[in-house]
Each structure stands twice: as C-alpha cells, then as structure tokens.
Amino acid sequence: MSSVPQATSLRRAPVQRRSAERLTRILDACADLLDEVGYDGLSTRAVAERAGVPIGSVYRFFGNKRQMADALAQRNLERYSERVTERLKGALRGDWRTAMDAVLDEYLAMKYTAPGFSLVDFGNQIPVGARHAEPNHRVADRLTDLLSDYLVREPDDDLRRVFLIAVETADTLVQLAFRVDPEGDPKVIAEARELLRAYLARVLD
C-alpha cells in the first residue's frame, strides 16, 4: 500500500515523484511538530519551515492545518494496514486469535513509536480530546476488507458489525489504559485483550 494519503484528503494529489516526496516531508514535519507543540501550537508556516519547503507547497496540498492532520491520520491508517498485513504473512489462515493480536499489538506499537500518532491516530482526536465515530467505522471497514480472506469469512454486514464492535471496544479500553498511565497501563491492556478474545470467540469460533 502507498504511504501517500488518498487523494480525497488533498487539495491536489501528487503526480510526480518529487511532488510525492515533498508531501511526505510535509506530513513527517506535521507529525513531529504535533509531538513537540501539540495541535493548538501547530501552524502551516512552522510545518513548511520544518519540512524545508516553501509555504506555497503546503497550501498546494492543504488549505489549513486540520486538513494536514486529517491527511496524516489517513497515512497512519495506510501504514497500520501495511504493518498488520506484514505481521500476518505466513500465519495460519483462519486463526482469528493471531489476527487479533496483530491488530492490537501493531496499534500499540504505532502509539508508542509513530510521531504525532498519539494526537491524531486515525483521525478521532482532533480537536484534542474529541472522539468521533467515523474513524472507527473506517478502521473497522479496513480491517474487514483486510482480514476477511485470512479468516476465511465473507466480508458481509455481520463481519463488519463484529469488527466495528471490537474496534470500538479496543479503542475505549486503550484510551483508558493511557489515561491511567501515560505509558499505557499493562493490566488494563491485558484485560482489554482478554475481553476481545472472549467476544470474538463467541462470534468467530
């Protein structure tokens, strides 16, 4: 999968390699600055300076910093999908427990290591503290499409509902873990894993 966000999040999609590389630098700078100054302190000018590009290059792709954060969230989802796919290469098809571990572990790994991820993840925390339903639906749909063949299941409405419930549950409990402990309380995460296993065993076994 490409690490460039889908064109729908951009004012203008990159066509040439040089343009795509410039967009990557802009989003990398946006992610770094989110960790350093937060969303309120983020500005298109600061991103341009950090990325080493003219301010006009930023506005060629984004009308404002919200659009930039949205594009970063889309890129996060693409990279997350790539990580889950790579993790499951060679795994036994039909093993939903291995798939669930990959889905949760790779999310946590990105939360710990991906710049800017703690603020925007897949788009549901901007403004800071706000949580909207749409990104979880997007993640659930992506996981359904990504894992249905691996699980030997039809990507029908029933499977999409199962994944949506699992994603919403995991999201709520992981957020709780990081409220209890800024590093992510391991006991809360362990309980979240067990709860997800119990639910998925009932519907996928």
Side-chain angles (χ1 to χ4, degrees):
M1 296 181 185
S2 171
S3 290
V4 174
Q6 297 175 10
T8 53
S9 69
L10 306 174
R11 298 178 86 177
R12 180 181 300 175
V15 177
Q16 298 178 339
R17 180 178 177 180
R18 181 179 178 184
S19 182
E21 290 173 347
R22 182 169 291 181
L23 174 59
T24 296
R25 291 206 309 275
I26 290 170
L27 291 179
D28 287 345
C30 175
D32 288 338
L33 286 168
L34 280 170
D35 281 344
E36 293 175 19
V37 303
Y39 183 72
D40 289 341
L42 185 71
S43 71
T44 52
R45 183 168 299 279
V47 169
E49 290 176 359
R50 176 65 62 89
V53 302
I55 187 69
S57 293
V58 176
Y59 285 119
R60 186 173 297 119
F61 295 116
F62 307 109
N64 52 51
K65 67 179 184 179
R66 176 57 192 258
Q67 291 178 1
M68 203 160 31
D70 287 343
L72 179 61
Q74 283 190 323
R75 188 177 75 168
N76 285 341
L77 182 56
E78 296 299 324
R79 291 183 171 179
Y80 174 66
S81 300
E82 291 169 0
R83 292 173 69 124
V84 171
T85 300
E86 184 65 26
R87 172 86 171 260
L88 293 176
K89 280 184 178 178
L92 182 65
R93 291 180 73 229
D95 182 0
W96 65 260
R97 290 170 179 82
T98 296
M100 190 211 75
D101 284 339
V103 166
L104 182 57
D105 291 346
E106 293 305 324
Y107 177 80
L108 290 170
M110 289 188 71
K111 197 163 180 68
Y112 287 125
T113 63
F117 190 81
S118 290
L119 280 182
V120 303
D121 60 42
F122 303 126
N124 50 351
Q125 296 191 69
I126 296 296
V128 174
R131 303 202 63 78
H132 309 291
E134 180 185 347
N136 282 342
H137 281 264
R138 190 162 58 239
V139 173
D141 283 343
R142 176 63 64 88
L143 289 175
T144 302
D145 295 336
L146 190 67
L147 298 176
S148 58
D149 183 64
Y150 171 82
L151 296 174
V152 198
R153 300 275 302 224
E154 286 295 321
D156 55 17
D157 289 343
D158 288 341
L159 189 62
R160 292 185 189 280
R161 183 175 61 254
V162 166
F163 274 110
L164 179 59
I165 291 170
V167 167
E168 289 281 1
T169 301
D171 180 44
T172 298
L173 293 176
V174 168
Q175 297 307 317
L176 172 62
F178 281 85
R179 288 200 305 272
V180 172
D181 180 345
E183 298 300 317
D185 186 276
K187 292 183 179 179
V188 175
I189 291 172
E191 291 288 343
R193 196 182 299 272
E194 288 304 314
L195 189 152
L196 289 168
R197 283 176 177 162
Y199 168 66
L200 293 173
R202 183 173 65 82
V203 296
L204 295 181
D205 273 347

